[in-house]
Amino acid sequence: MKKTILLPILSIALAAAVLFAASAGLSGVREKIAQENLNAIMTTLLPGSETFTEEAYTGEDANIRTTYKSESGYVVHVVTSGYAGDISMLVGVSSDGRVTGLVIRDMKETPGLGRKALTDTQFLAQFLNTDGTAAVGENIDALTGATVTSKAVTQGVNSAVSFVTGADSSSGATTWGE
């Protein structure tokens, strides 16, 4: 009776040990791949840059999470509040304060409306070469049916540019309720 119980318990313990060892061994690989993917995205967002150094952000803008300095500017990770939750994006900004690229990394916006910001190249392209004064309804056309999402993306882009140009403060360019 004891042998019939002991064998399955030993098998489960051995399997758990093997899985734990494999997970521990692969965690470094997972982190390395994630960093390589981030570097590939950043080199696309900020053409001409190859190395990025993460810098601590100590400013007042609550939208800015992380900054990555390179030889030709910064890639700024910003998170803003959209209609259905946070919108996380990376914004490339050249040293002269112009947006060179933008990618939305994560959002929970409404499918078919705000979620279009993930893939609508015409919407995202409006931000290229802007200088931190973008405003929905003025020089940025909102996504149809997704004004809040459009303003949140605009606010994130303006925050990133403001950081690079030294005007680092919460962006008022997309004041809610207007």
Side-chain angles (χ1 to χ4, degrees):
M1 179 95 166
K2 284 186 178 183
K3 287 184 179 182
T4 58
I5 293 175
L6 189 57
L7 188 59
I9 291 174
L10 287 174
S11 297
I12 291 171
L14 179 62
V18 168
L19 289 174
F20 177 75
S23 175
L26 292 175
S27 69
V29 172
R30 183 176 34 246
E31 290 171 12
K32 182 180 177 192
I33 291 171
Q35 186 61 47
E36 288 173 354
N37 287 340
L38 178 60
N39 284 342
I41 291 169
M42 290 193 295
T43 57
T44 301
L45 293 177
L46 199 58
S49 295
E50 294 181 16
T51 58
F52 297 88
T53 305
E54 185 174 341
E55 294 186 344
Y57 175 71
T58 58
E60 297 177 11
D61 192 330
N63 296 327
I64 298 175
R65 298 298 194 269
T66 312
T67 62
Y68 301 92
K69 183 174 179 30
S70 77
E71 50 275 10
S72 62
Y74 285 84
V75 172
V76 183
H77 175 214
V78 293
V79 177
T80 58
S81 296
Y83 179 76
D86 287 342
I87 299 173
S88 174
M89 63 191 108
L90 293 172
V91 183
V93 183
S94 65
S95 296
D96 66 352
R98 295 284 178 184
V99 175
T100 58
L102 162 68
V103 65
I104 297 174
R105 301 283 308 236
D106 187 41
M107 68 166 34
K108 309 285 188 275
E109 300 300 272
T110 308
L113 296 172
R115 190 167 288 278
K116 286 182 183 179
L118 283 169
T119 57
D120 190 323
T121 55
Q122 288 182 325
F123 172 70
L124 296 173
Q126 295 178 95
F127 295 99
L128 294 177
N129 243 355
T130 59
D131 62 0
T133 59
V136 173
E138 291 178 28
N139 52 357
I140 299 295
D141 292 329
L143 291 166
T144 302
T147 304
V148 172
T149 303
S150 301
K151 286 184 175 186
V153 171
T154 303
Q155 184 178 34
V157 169
N158 289 345
S159 288
V161 174
S162 292
F163 165 75
V164 174
T165 61
D168 187 20
S169 62
S170 293
S171 172
T174 57
T175 304
W176 302 109
E178 290 185 354

